[in-house]
Amino acid sequence: MRRKAVVILPGYADHSIERAGLAPFGLSVDELDWNGDRAAMADGVRDAEIVFVRDVPLDASVIAAMERCRGIVRYGVGVDTIDLVAARSRGIVVTRVPNYGAEVEVADHTLALFLAVRRRIVSRDRDVRKGAWLVGQAEPIARIAGSTAGMIGFGRIGQAVAHRLRSFGVRRFLVHDPYLKPEGLPADATLVDLARLAQESDLVTLHAPATAENRHIIDAAFLARVKPGAILVNTGRGPLINEQDLAAALKDGRLLGAGIDVFETEPPLRSPLLAAPNVVLSDHAAWYSEATVENLQRGALEQAVQILETGTASERVN
Protein backbone atom coordinates (compact mmCIF):
# COMPACT_ATOMS: atom_id res chain seq x y z
CA MET A 1 0.00 0.00 0.00
CA ARG A 2 1.25 3.46 -0.91
CA ARG A 3 2.34 5.42 2.16
CA LYS A 4 1.02 8.94 2.27
CA ALA A 5 0.29 12.11 4.15
CA VAL A 6 -2.85 14.12 3.46
CA VAL A 7 -3.39 17.86 3.44
CA ILE A 8 -7.07 18.55 4.05
CA LEU A 9 -8.03 21.48 1.83
CA PRO A 10 -8.11 24.38 2.00
CA GLY A 11 -4.38 24.30 2.57
CA TYR A 12 -1.92 26.52 0.74
CA ALA A 13 -1.11 27.28 -2.87
CA ASP A 14 1.84 24.91 -2.93
CA HIS A 15 2.89 21.98 -0.74
CA SER A 16 6.33 21.29 -2.18
CA ILE A 17 7.92 21.89 1.24
CA GLU A 18 5.96 19.03 2.77
CA ARG A 19 6.51 16.78 -0.25
CA ALA A 20 10.27 17.31 -0.24
CA GLY A 21 10.54 16.78 3.50
CA LEU A 22 8.45 13.59 3.66
CA ALA A 23 9.84 11.94 0.52
CA PRO A 24 12.84 10.46 2.42
CA PHE A 25 10.33 8.64 4.64
CA GLY A 26 8.59 7.16 1.61
CA LEU A 27 5.48 9.29 2.03
CA SER A 28 3.74 11.10 -0.78
CA VAL A 29 1.54 14.11 0.00
CA ASP A 30 -2.02 14.18 -1.30
CA GLU A 31 -4.29 17.23 -1.24
CA LEU A 32 -7.76 16.17 -0.16
CA ASP A 33 -10.53 18.24 -1.74
CA TRP A 34 -13.52 16.94 0.19
CA ASN A 35 -16.03 19.43 -1.24
CA GLY A 36 -17.90 19.83 2.02
CA ASP A 37 -18.71 16.12 2.26
CA ARG A 38 -17.61 14.80 5.67
CA ALA A 39 -17.93 11.20 4.46
CA ALA A 40 -15.53 11.99 1.60
CA MET A 41 -13.13 13.54 4.12
CA ALA A 42 -13.26 10.45 6.31
CA ASP A 43 -12.57 8.22 3.30
CA GLY A 44 -9.71 10.44 2.15
CA VAL A 45 -7.83 10.26 5.46
CA ARG A 46 -8.45 6.54 6.04
CA ASP A 47 -4.95 5.35 5.10
CA ALA A 48 -2.99 8.57 5.80
CA GLU A 49 -0.09 8.33 8.25
CA ILE A 50 0.11 12.09 8.72
CA VAL A 51 -2.81 14.51 8.37
CA PHE A 52 -2.15 18.21 7.91
CA VAL A 53 -5.11 20.48 8.63
CA ARG A 54 -5.59 24.22 8.65
CA ASP A 55 -9.06 25.40 9.75
CA VAL A 56 -11.32 22.46 8.89
CA PRO A 57 -12.84 20.90 12.05
CA LEU A 58 -11.83 17.30 12.73
CA ASP A 59 -14.50 15.64 14.84
CA ALA A 60 -14.61 12.17 16.36
CA SER A 61 -16.30 10.63 13.32
CA VAL A 62 -13.49 11.70 10.97
CA ILE A 63 -10.77 10.73 13.44
CA ALA A 64 -12.41 7.31 13.91
CA ALA A 65 -11.87 6.68 10.19
CA MET A 66 -8.09 7.18 10.47
CA GLU A 67 -6.86 3.59 10.38
CA ARG A 68 -3.13 4.27 9.93
CA CYS A 69 -2.71 7.82 11.25
CA ARG A 70 0.24 8.54 13.52
CA GLY A 71 -0.16 12.30 13.75
CA ILE A 72 -2.44 15.25 13.04
CA VAL A 73 -0.50 18.44 12.43
CA ARG A 74 -2.38 21.73 12.74
CA TYR A 75 -1.11 24.56 10.55
CA GLY A 76 -1.21 27.17 13.30
CA VAL A 77 -1.68 27.58 17.04
CA GLY A 78 -5.24 26.79 18.10
CA VAL A 79 -6.46 23.19 18.25
CA ASP A 80 -10.01 23.86 19.42
CA THR A 81 -11.34 22.49 16.11
CA ILE A 82 -9.76 19.06 16.69
CA ASP A 83 -11.30 16.42 18.96
CA LEU A 84 -8.25 15.80 21.14
CA VAL A 85 -9.91 13.11 23.22
CA ALA A 86 -10.87 11.10 20.13
CA ALA A 87 -7.34 11.39 18.76
CA ARG A 88 -5.77 10.34 22.07
CA SER A 89 -8.06 7.32 22.29
CA ARG A 90 -6.69 6.14 18.94
CA GLY A 91 -3.07 6.85 19.83
CA ILE A 92 -2.82 9.73 17.36
CA VAL A 93 -0.45 12.56 18.22
CA VAL A 94 -1.97 16.02 17.75
CA THR A 95 0.54 18.82 17.38
CA ARG A 96 0.68 22.39 16.17
CA VAL A 97 3.00 25.19 15.02
CA PRO A 98 2.87 28.00 17.60
CA ASN A 99 6.04 29.87 16.66
CA TYR A 100 5.89 30.83 13.01
CA GLY A 101 6.31 34.58 13.37
CA ALA A 102 2.65 35.53 12.91
CA GLU A 103 2.80 38.01 15.77
CA VAL A 104 4.39 40.45 13.30
CA GLU A 105 1.59 40.20 10.76
CA VAL A 106 -1.25 39.98 13.31
CA ALA A 107 0.06 43.03 15.15
CA ASP A 108 0.38 44.96 11.88
CA HIS A 109 -3.15 43.93 10.86
CA THR A 110 -4.55 44.93 14.25
CA LEU A 111 -3.09 48.40 13.82
CA ALA A 112 -4.36 48.56 10.23
CA LEU A 113 -7.92 47.79 11.33
CA PHE A 114 -7.72 50.25 14.23
CA LEU A 115 -6.39 53.05 12.04
CA ALA A 116 -8.93 52.34 9.31
CA VAL A 117 -11.73 52.76 11.86
CA ARG A 118 -10.22 55.62 13.90
CA ARG A 119 -9.22 57.64 10.84
CA ARG A 120 -12.39 56.57 8.96
CA ILE A 121 -10.35 55.44 5.95
CA VAL A 122 -13.01 53.18 4.44
CA SER A 123 -15.88 55.66 4.77
CA ARG A 124 -13.67 58.50 3.48
CA ASP A 125 -12.74 56.43 0.44
CA ARG A 126 -16.41 55.70 -0.23
CA ASP A 127 -17.43 59.36 0.23
CA VAL A 128 -14.69 60.76 -2.00
CA ARG A 129 -15.63 58.35 -4.77
CA LYS A 130 -19.20 59.68 -4.52
CA GLY A 131 -17.99 63.27 -4.89
CA ALA A 132 -18.01 64.35 -1.24
CA TRP A 133 -15.25 66.59 0.05
CA LEU A 134 -14.22 68.22 3.34
CA VAL A 135 -16.51 66.01 5.42
CA GLY A 136 -14.07 65.79 8.36
CA GLN A 137 -16.00 67.81 10.91
CA ALA A 138 -19.21 65.93 10.18
CA GLU A 139 -17.53 62.77 11.51
CA PRO A 140 -15.23 63.69 14.42
CA ILE A 141 -11.91 61.88 14.69
CA ALA A 142 -10.23 61.66 18.09
CA ARG A 143 -6.46 61.95 18.53
CA ILE A 144 -4.69 58.65 19.21
CA ALA A 145 -1.82 60.11 21.22
CA GLY A 146 -2.54 60.09 24.95
CA SER A 147 -5.21 57.41 24.70
CA THR A 148 -5.61 54.13 26.61
CA ALA A 149 -5.65 50.65 25.08
CA GLY A 150 -7.38 47.70 26.70
CA MET A 151 -5.72 44.39 25.84
CA ILE A 152 -7.64 41.15 26.36
CA GLY A 153 -4.77 38.68 26.10
CA PHE A 154 -1.18 39.90 26.42
CA GLY A 155 1.00 37.18 24.97
CA ARG A 156 3.41 37.61 22.08
CA ILE A 157 0.80 39.16 19.80
CA GLY A 158 -0.69 41.46 22.42
CA GLN A 159 2.76 42.71 23.37
CA ALA A 160 3.65 43.27 19.71
CA VAL A 161 0.47 45.33 19.30
CA ALA A 162 1.32 47.36 22.40
CA HIS A 163 4.80 48.04 21.00
CA ARG A 164 3.27 49.46 17.82
CA LEU A 165 0.65 51.49 19.69
CA ARG A 166 3.35 53.17 21.77
CA SER A 167 4.76 54.69 18.59
CA PHE A 168 1.37 56.38 18.06
CA GLY A 169 1.49 57.86 21.54
CA VAL A 170 -0.80 55.47 23.40
CA ARG A 171 0.15 56.21 27.00
CA ARG A 172 -1.16 53.29 29.04
CA PHE A 173 -2.35 49.73 28.67
CA LEU A 174 -5.03 47.97 30.69
CA VAL A 175 -4.47 44.23 30.50
CA HIS A 176 -6.90 41.39 31.19
CA ASP A 177 -5.05 38.08 31.07
CA PRO A 178 -5.53 35.31 33.67
CA TYR A 179 -2.12 33.83 32.87
CA LEU A 180 -0.10 36.91 33.82
CA LYS A 181 1.05 38.37 37.12
CA PRO A 182 1.55 42.13 37.72
CA GLU A 183 5.32 41.77 38.00
CA GLY A 184 5.44 40.37 34.47
CA LEU A 185 4.05 43.54 32.87
CA PRO A 186 5.85 46.58 31.46
CA ALA A 187 5.70 49.80 33.46
CA ASP A 188 2.91 51.31 31.35
CA ALA A 189 0.60 48.29 31.72
CA THR A 190 -1.78 47.36 34.53
CA LEU A 191 -3.70 44.14 35.17
CA VAL A 192 -7.41 44.94 35.53
CA ASP A 193 -10.79 43.26 35.51
CA LEU A 194 -13.06 43.45 32.48
CA ALA A 195 -15.28 46.13 33.96
CA ARG A 196 -12.44 48.61 34.41
CA LEU A 197 -10.97 47.72 31.01
CA ALA A 198 -14.32 48.50 29.35
CA GLN A 199 -14.85 51.75 31.25
CA GLU A 200 -11.42 53.29 30.63
CA SER A 201 -10.21 52.01 27.25
CA ASP A 202 -10.33 54.06 24.06
CA LEU A 203 -9.34 50.94 22.12
CA VAL A 204 -10.12 47.34 23.06
CA THR A 205 -8.13 44.65 21.25
CA LEU A 206 -8.66 40.90 21.52
CA HIS A 207 -5.71 38.49 21.46
CA ALA A 208 -6.99 35.55 23.51
CA PRO A 209 -7.60 31.94 22.44
CA ALA A 210 -11.15 30.64 22.23
CA THR A 211 -12.07 28.61 25.31
CA ALA A 212 -15.30 27.59 26.99
CA GLU A 213 -14.56 30.12 29.74
CA ASN A 214 -14.12 33.17 27.52
CA ARG A 215 -16.75 32.49 24.88
CA HIS A 216 -18.67 35.74 24.31
CA ILE A 217 -16.42 37.63 26.70
CA ILE A 218 -17.55 40.63 24.68
CA ASP A 219 -21.29 40.67 25.30
CA ALA A 220 -24.09 43.11 26.12
CA ALA A 221 -22.89 43.48 29.72
CA PHE A 222 -19.34 44.37 28.64
CA LEU A 223 -20.53 46.68 25.88
CA ALA A 224 -22.87 48.51 28.25
CA ARG A 225 -19.79 49.63 30.20
CA VAL A 226 -17.60 50.72 27.30
CA LYS A 227 -16.21 54.22 27.21
CA PRO A 228 -18.14 56.41 24.75
CA GLY A 229 -16.32 56.64 21.44
CA ALA A 230 -14.29 53.46 21.98
CA ILE A 231 -13.19 51.14 19.18
CA LEU A 232 -13.02 47.35 19.35
CA VAL A 233 -10.66 45.25 17.21
CA ASN A 234 -10.71 41.45 17.06
CA THR A 235 -7.82 39.60 15.43
CA GLY A 236 -8.02 36.81 18.02
CA ARG A 237 -10.92 34.36 17.74
CA GLY A 238 -14.47 34.87 16.54
CA PRO A 239 -16.25 33.20 19.50
CA LEU A 240 -14.84 35.82 21.86
CA ILE A 241 -17.60 38.18 20.66
CA ASN A 242 -21.37 37.90 20.75
CA GLU A 243 -21.90 39.37 17.29
CA GLN A 244 -25.55 40.25 17.88
CA ASP A 245 -24.60 42.28 20.95
CA LEU A 246 -21.73 44.00 19.15
CA ALA A 247 -23.92 44.90 16.17
CA ALA A 248 -26.51 46.40 18.54
CA ALA A 249 -23.82 48.45 20.34
CA LEU A 250 -22.58 49.81 17.02
CA LYS A 251 -26.06 50.68 15.79
CA ASP A 252 -26.98 52.60 18.94
CA GLY A 253 -23.64 54.43 19.04
CA ARG A 254 -22.19 52.96 22.23
CA LEU A 255 -19.07 52.14 20.19
CA LEU A 256 -17.54 54.42 17.58
CA GLY A 257 -16.61 51.43 15.43
CA ALA A 258 -15.00 48.03 15.14
CA GLY A 259 -12.36 46.22 13.12
CA ILE A 260 -13.11 42.51 12.77
CA ASP A 261 -10.92 39.84 11.18
CA VAL A 262 -12.44 36.70 12.76
CA PHE A 263 -16.04 35.57 13.12
CA GLU A 264 -18.13 33.03 15.00
CA THR A 265 -18.99 31.34 11.70
CA GLU A 266 -16.62 31.61 8.75
CA PRO A 267 -17.28 32.75 6.13
CA PRO A 268 -19.67 35.17 7.90
CA LEU A 269 -22.50 35.00 5.39
CA ARG A 270 -25.19 35.80 7.98
CA SER A 271 -23.23 37.79 10.52
CA PRO A 272 -25.10 40.85 11.83
CA LEU A 273 -21.80 42.73 11.60
CA LEU A 274 -22.15 42.82 7.83
CA ALA A 275 -24.87 45.44 8.21
CA ALA A 276 -23.49 47.27 11.25
CA PRO A 277 -22.23 50.85 10.85
CA ASN A 278 -18.57 51.87 10.87
CA VAL A 279 -17.16 48.35 10.80
CA VAL A 280 -14.07 47.37 8.81
CA LEU A 281 -13.98 43.66 8.00
CA SER A 282 -11.29 41.32 6.71
CA ASP A 283 -11.26 37.61 5.92
CA HIS A 284 -9.31 36.00 8.78
CA ALA A 285 -6.21 37.37 7.07
CA ALA A 286 -4.37 38.99 9.99
CA TRP A 287 -1.84 36.16 10.18
CA TYR A 288 -1.03 36.13 6.48
CA SER A 289 2.11 36.97 4.56
CA GLU A 290 4.16 34.81 2.22
CA ALA A 291 6.84 34.65 4.91
CA THR A 292 4.47 33.34 7.57
CA VAL A 293 3.08 30.70 5.21
CA GLU A 294 6.57 29.38 4.49
CA ASN A 295 7.45 29.38 8.20
CA LEU A 296 4.17 27.63 8.97
CA GLN A 297 4.71 24.89 6.42
CA ARG A 298 8.30 24.31 7.50
CA GLY A 299 7.18 24.16 11.13
CA ALA A 300 4.41 21.70 10.28
CA LEU A 301 6.87 19.52 8.37
CA GLU A 302 9.23 19.53 11.35
CA GLN A 303 6.43 18.32 13.63
CA ALA A 304 5.51 15.56 11.15
CA VAL A 305 9.11 14.40 10.90
CA GLN A 306 9.38 14.22 14.69
CA ILE A 307 6.28 12.02 14.80
CA LEU A 308 7.64 9.70 12.13
CA GLU A 309 11.06 9.47 13.81
CA THR A 310 10.13 9.35 17.49
CA GLY A 311 6.39 8.78 17.79
CA THR A 312 5.79 12.15 19.42
CA ALA A 313 6.37 15.86 18.77
CA SER A 314 7.75 18.85 20.65
CA GLU A 315 4.48 20.78 20.32
CA ARG A 316 2.17 17.87 21.11
CA VAL A 317 -1.08 18.99 22.76
CA ASN A 318 -2.75 15.65 23.61
Side-chain angles (χ1 to χ4, degrees):
M1 180 182 293
R2 180 172 67 96
R3 298 181 63 194
K4 70 178 184 181
V6 166
V7 176
I8 298 177
L9 297 179
Y12 301 105
D14 178 81
H15 291 282
S16 58
I17 290 173
E18 295 91 325
R19 289 190 172 94
L22 294 182
F25 295 89
L27 270 68
S28 60
V29 176
D30 293 354
E31 297 177 21
L32 175 59
D33 188 357
W34 54 289
N35 291 314
D37 182 344
R38 304 289 292 184
M41 184 197 300
D43 187 60
V45 299
R46 194 169 306 279
D47 57 349
E49 294 185 41
I50 298 291
V51 173
F52 295 99
V53 63
R54 188 171 144 196
D55 298 320
V56 175
L58 295 184
D59 59 21
S61 64
V62 173
I63 291 172
M66 298 178 181
E67 298 176 353
R68 305 182 66 200
C69 188
R70 299 176 62 184
I72 297 170
V73 182
R74 162 81 164 93
Y75 288 117
V77 181
V79 291
D80 49 292
T81 57
I82 301 172
D83 190 324
L84 301 180
V85 174
R88 184 170 63 245
S89 70
R90 297 186 62 80
I92 298 172
V93 174
V94 179
T95 189
R96 60 181 184 165
V97 187
N99 302 312
Y100 59 96
E103 63 269 19
V104 174
E105 278 71 19
V106 176
D108 289 350
H109 201 88
T110 301
L111 265 291
L113 288 172
F114 168 58
L115 292 171
V117 176
R118 169 59 70 199
R119 299 300 306 174
R120 299 184 183 272
I121 300 301
V122 175
S123 62
R124 288 295 187 273
D125 176 83
R126 181 181 62 243
D127 292 343
V128 170
R129 292 176 189 276
K130 291 179 178 179
W133 196 247
L134 298 177
V135 295
Q137 295 184 59
E139 295 180 329
I141 297 176
R143 176 174 287 178
I144 297 171
S147 61
T148 296
M151 319 285 291
I152 298 179
F154 203 62
R156 287 192 304 270
I157 293 173
Q159 292 176 45
V161 171
H163 176 71
R164 285 155 175 75
L165 286 170
R166 289 186 185 99
S167 69
F168 285 85
V170 173
R171 66 182 178 86
R172 66 174 182 148
F173 299 87
L174 302 178
V175 174
H176 183 78
D177 191 322
Y179 301 102
L180 293 181
K181 295 181 179 180
E183 56 268 24
L185 294 177
D188 57 359
T190 305
L191 275 179
V192 298
D193 60 22
L194 283 175
R196 181 180 171 189
L197 187 147
Q199 291 162 357
E200 299 183 22
S201 298
D202 301 290
L203 163 66
V204 176
T205 66
L206 306 182
H207 307 290
T211 65
E213 292 75 24
N214 65 20
R215 182 176 185 272
H216 288 180
I217 196 170
I218 305 299
D219 59 6
F222 178 92
L223 294 164
R225 298 187 180 101
V226 293
K227 185 177 180 179
I231 291 170
L232 184 143
V233 176
N234 188 12
T235 53
R237 287 289 184 267
L240 297 173
I241 294 178
N242 182 314
E243 293 181 2
Q244 292 285 353
D245 291 351
L246 176 57
L250 289 162
K251 288 175 182 177
D252 68 20
R254 276 177 284 158
L255 281 175
L256 173 70
I260 305 295
D261 182 59
V262 287
F263 301 83
E264 287 197 82
T265 300
E266 298 181 347
L269 302 179
R270 295 181 177 85
S271 172
L273 296 176
L274 297 176
N278 203 22
V279 179
V280 178
L281 308 175
S282 56
D283 58 330
H284 203 145
W287 65 276
Y288 180 80
S289 74
E290 285 75 15
T292 57
V293 170
E294 180 176 349
N295 290 344
L296 195 53
Q297 290 182 272
R298 292 193 183 282
L301 170 62
E302 180 181 336
Q303 293 297 297
V305 168
Q306 289 179 18
I307 292 168
L308 293 170
E309 289 182 337
T310 70
T312 190
S314 60
E315 299 296 339
R316 183 174 184 165
V317 295
N318 71 330

